[in-house]
Amino acid sequence: MPKYIFITGGVVSSLGKGVASASIGRLLEARGLKITMQKLDPYINVDPGTMNPYQHGEVYVTDDGSETDLDLGHYERFTSIITGRDNNLTTGRIYDSVIRKEREGAYLGSTVQVVPHITDEIKEGIRRVSRGKNVDLVICEVGGTVGDIESLPFLEAIRQLRLEVGRGNAINIHLTLIPYLRAAGELKTKPTQHSVGKLREIGLQPEILLCRTEKPLSRKVREKIALFCNVDVDAVIQARDVRDIYEIPLVFHDQGLDDLIIKFLDLKVERGHDLKDWEERVVRPSLQPSNGTVKIAVVGKYIELQDAYKSIYEAIRHGGIANDCAVEIKRLESERLEKKDLDSFFKGVDGILVPGGFGNRGIEGKIKAAQYAREKGIPYFGICLGMQCAVIEFARDALGLKGANSTEFDPATAHPVISMLAEQRKVKVLGGTMRLGAQPCQLRKGTLARQIYRDSRVFERHRHRYEFNAAYRDGFAKAGMVISGYLPGKRLAEIMEVTGHPFFLGCQFHPELKSKPDRCHPLFRGFVKAVLQRRQQINAVRPESSDGVRAVTGSARTESATAL
């Protein structure tokens, strides 16, 4: 039987439970333990697949085709686990399952209630995630904030499960906030006291506190927190802001968090701290790159929300780590590009990436960004909708197909170069019905894609309803845009690239979902490499400044670097 770590959050949302959970997973894997991870989400949606990115952030798609919470992306990036449907459990899925069982008569006429029926279903979902996997630990993160009415059934289920597995087989780690009041010049512990008090009312006593703070906690403050929250003072762990999120496992280890967990759960470990590889391959090149800085513009529809393109931003950073350079990300709202001159937007930009999305808002801006990159020789990377926008632009300009479009945006277009997948045309239910999950992609010899992957067949994760219209394939090839990767059997276009361009490539799948800081996805590594080469070429021909010293690009961080 595995042991359990339940991670809850208090005071306010967006404290970084996902990154904290993933960092704990990284720490415990470094001690030789086999883990799996799970996210419990209190919302009533069955999954986030139909939710607006402004409401939820990105949808993370797993190999098995499940549309899940973005925190599963953190789990996969920080650890070696491969997540799937069972790694994300929502209130919607729980109630859907219970109601179906009630309709089938599974409860033998009983009155169906939150306790025991809903809580039993939650406990079964928690147990199921490790079944048959021979894992030592299940790290289970509870979404939302303690005190929210939506979270109560999950917390009650955890209380019951802790009793069932017995003392020493489950612990609760509570992430909370210690605000600093500048006017008073003081750190305030009262919000944490109230948050832990709320947990204890429910029947959960945390063994460890992770205290999010912008100022260091003195021994006196930690002793006060320990006294009023009924925890050991050594179990009050500081979670201060860091320069780079990939430092967090090291910061937690320096405070003995992994040793605390091992002690509380009486775990048998065969080795000590083993994070040297992580430090050398991830943290050092991320914080001290030797190849300067490049600037990449991300042209998207949901730019205002950082989490809407979370995996995109992280994968770009991975490309920087792989090429030993810093990456500055310039976020551009695609609607702003539609009616303005693009030179001002792309001044100083070394590469352009257009990510996925749905709907026609901002589409013409994305198309203009693709055209700008193609004509100016700027490395371009289009992902899903970003590939489709590049195809539309190429059809209009290079092939002269006036009004070429996707049937998603113009069902009556005379030139539907992007059209709906055949199997999608009869779909009425939107949730969970797109082309989803990992599928094979065959790579053609002599193409940039084949050169980057160094393989003939790969598996990539999809999430889309539309595809390149194969009727236009020959015309595109003659004009210089070729299919370099395709789905075997159905021959659907998976990767398209423009020949003779430094890097102009679009893919129908989502490579960002399989990128890790210590194992960057090949397409992001290749894209950032092309971007870096362009920056180095520009620097090589840049005129010297008045003092005779050649100008160089200064260091910068990505926008996601300042986090828990």
Side-chain angles (χ1 to χ4, degrees):
M1 183 183 72
K3 299 195 177 189
Y4 295 89
I5 300 172
F6 297 106
I7 300 176
T8 54
V11 184
V12 295
S13 59
S14 301
L15 285 181
K17 282 199 307 296
V19 174
S21 301
S23 297
I24 290 169
R26 174 80 261 175
L27 271 181
L28 296 173
E29 278 196 333
R31 300 297 294 268
L33 295 165
K34 188 174 181 181
I35 68 163
T36 190
M37 303 189 69
Q38 186 179 50
K39 175 71 182 292
L40 306 181
D41 276 308
Y43 52 75
I44 300 177
N45 304 67
V46 173
D47 60 45
T50 58
M51 295 170 70
N52 189 308
Y54 285 122
Q55 289 279 320
H56 182 267
E58 77 170 6
V59 174
Y60 191 80
V61 180
T62 57
D63 275 354
D64 67 2
S66 299
E67 294 174 290
T68 69
D69 185 78
L70 63 84
D71 280 327
L72 271 67
H74 293 310
Y75 305 163
E76 289 200 356
R77 284 189 286 270
F78 276 75
T79 74
S80 64
I81 70 169
I82 303 297
T83 60
R85 175 180 171 82
D86 291 337
N87 296 88
N88 192 198
L89 201 59
T90 69
T91 294
R93 272 185 63 192
I94 294 298
Y95 274 82
D96 181 55
S97 177
V98 169
I99 290 170
R100 280 191 288 105
K101 288 179 181 178
E102 184 274 330
R103 293 288 81 190
E104 294 166 0
Y107 300 119
L108 302 176
S110 297
T111 301
V112 178
Q113 298 175 293
V114 173
V115 180
H117 300 97
I118 296 300
T119 52
D120 282 352
E121 193 72 21
I122 293 171
K123 288 186 291 183
E124 168 58 22
I126 294 172
R127 289 190 174 100
R128 187 170 54 241
V129 75
S130 62
R131 195 166 288 148
K133 295 181 180 177
N134 192 32
V135 299
D136 302 305
L137 273 170
V138 175
I139 302 173
C140 186
E141 175 194 351
V142 184
T145 306
V146 169
D148 294 345
I149 191 170
E150 296 93 341
S151 302
L152 288 175
F154 288 106
L155 297 176
E156 170 60 19
I158 289 169
R159 184 193 68 80
Q160 294 177 21
L161 189 59
R162 288 192 60 167
L163 283 175
E164 292 170 9
V165 300
R167 186 181 299 274
N169 291 316
I171 61 170
N172 177 211
I173 299 177
H174 191 55
L175 175 63
T176 181
L177 177 69
I178 308 292
Y180 176 72
L181 297 187
R182 295 187 184 279
E186 292 179 348
L187 288 164
K188 292 297 182 180
T189 66
K190 189 64 71 177
T192 290
Q193 295 175 41
H194 283 305
S195 182
V196 173
K198 200 71 177 175
L199 260 184
R200 293 169 71 183
E201 287 177 15
I202 298 166
L204 291 172
Q205 167 64 55
E207 282 79 10
I208 298 172
L209 295 179
L210 300 180
C211 298
R212 185 74 188 267
T213 173
E214 61 177 288
K215 298 285 185 179
L217 302 180
S218 66
R219 176 78 182 185
K220 184 177 180 180
V221 169
R222 290 172 60 227
E223 287 174 347
K224 181 180 180 181
I225 294 169
L227 176 65
F228 285 101
C229 295
N230 197 33
V231 299
D232 297 334
V233 66
D234 291 337
V236 179
I237 304 295
Q238 299 183 67
R240 292 190 63 190
D241 288 356
V242 294
R243 294 172 295 171
D244 190 295
I245 60 171
Y246 299 124
E247 287 184 273
I248 296 172
L250 303 178
V251 171
F252 283 170
H253 169 74
D254 288 343
Q255 297 178 73
L257 179 57
D258 46 336
D259 288 327
L260 269 174
I261 293 170
I262 289 166
K263 172 188 171 184
F264 277 122
L265 292 174
D266 192 23
L267 293 164
K268 307 302 179 186
V269 295
E270 297 179 357
R271 64 173 184 250
H273 163 55
D274 186 19
L275 286 169
K276 186 176 180 181
D277 189 58
W278 179 264
E279 187 172 7
E280 291 182 351
R281 293 181 59 191
V282 176
V283 178
R284 189 209 58 76
S286 180
L287 294 176
Q288 300 173 336
S290 60
N291 287 328
T293 302
V294 296
K295 182 184 287 189
I296 293 175
V298 175
V299 182
K301 300 171 62 172
Y302 317 110
I303 286 297
E304 293 177 11
L305 183 67
Q306 172 78 12
D307 283 349
Y309 300 115
K310 189 65 177 177
S311 291
I312 291 284
Y313 297 145
E314 291 305 309
I316 291 173
R317 295 184 58 217
H318 303 164
I321 292 171
N323 287 281
D324 205 7
C325 67
V327 181
E328 178 185 347
I329 296 175
K330 183 175 184 178
R331 300 191 291 176
L332 293 175
E333 174 61 56
S334 58
E335 280 186 293
R336 296 179 60 206
L337 275 58
E338 291 182 352
K339 297 180 180 180
K340 294 185 179 180
D341 177 67
L342 299 191
D343 286 334
S344 59
F345 288 109
F346 293 121
K347 183 178 180 181
V349 166
D350 304 304
I352 298 172
L353 186 148
V354 177
F358 299 91
N360 60 9
R361 182 180 65 83
I363 290 301
E364 293 301 323
K366 290 190 173 189
I367 292 171
K368 288 182 69 175
Q371 181 177 8
Y372 189 89
R374 185 172 62 85
E375 293 179 347
K376 300 287 186 179
I378 299 173
Y380 176 88
F381 191 10
I383 295 174
C384 198
L385 181 59
M387 185 197 91
Q388 295 173 6
C389 288
V391 166
I392 294 168
E393 184 281 317
F394 196 85
R396 293 176 183 178
D397 190 72
L399 274 69
L401 302 179
K402 187 177 180 180
N405 216 325
S406 166
T407 55
E408 179 182 6
F409 315 130
D410 182 6
T413 177
H415 298 290
V417 291
I418 302 293
S419 60
M420 183 174 280
L421 286 159
E423 62 265 27
Q424 292 289 321
R425 291 170 188 162
K426 295 181 180 180
V427 169
K428 301 298 181 184
V429 178
L430 296 181
T433 57
M434 286 185 278
R435 183 183 172 200
L436 292 165
Q439 297 183 28
C441 173
Q442 192 72 31
L443 302 170
R444 296 185 185 278
K445 291 182 179 180
T447 61
L448 176 63
R450 179 71 172 262
Q451 176 185 335
I452 289 173
Y453 274 105
R454 299 178 184 176
D455 205 343
S456 60
R457 177 177 285 203
V458 294
F459 285 81
E460 298 288 359
R461 298 177 186 176
H462 297 73
R463 184 176 183 251
H464 64 100
R465 297 187 193 277
Y466 294 82
E467 63 168 324
F468 174 67
N469 189 337
Y472 292 89
R473 179 181 56 202
D474 293 341
F476 269 73
K478 288 178 182 177
M481 179 178 269
V482 299
I483 298 174
S484 53
Y486 61 92
L487 177 67
K490 293 187 177 182
R491 311 287 289 187
L492 300 179
E494 296 280 7
I495 306 175
M496 299 188 71
E497 60 186 64
V498 172
T499 58
H501 191 282
F503 190 105
F504 194 100
L505 183 147
C507 58
Q508 188 59 77
F509 46 81
H510 289 268
E512 71 274 15
L513 302 178
K514 297 185 74 171
S515 186
K516 295 174 180 279
D518 54 348
R519 194 163 67 249
C520 178
H521 189 283
L523 291 180
F524 279 91
R525 187 194 311 116
F527 172 58
V528 175
K529 180 180 179 180
V531 169
L532 177 61
Q533 289 174 341
R534 183 175 190 274
R535 168 50 49 195
Q536 290 173 336
Q537 290 169 0
I538 291 173
N539 286 345
V541 299
R542 183 180 295 175
E544 293 183 349
S545 60
S546 58
D547 61 2
V549 179
R550 187 177 298 279
V552 295
T553 306
S555 179
R557 298 197 314 270
T558 61
E559 296 180 32
S560 61
T562 303
L564 170 67

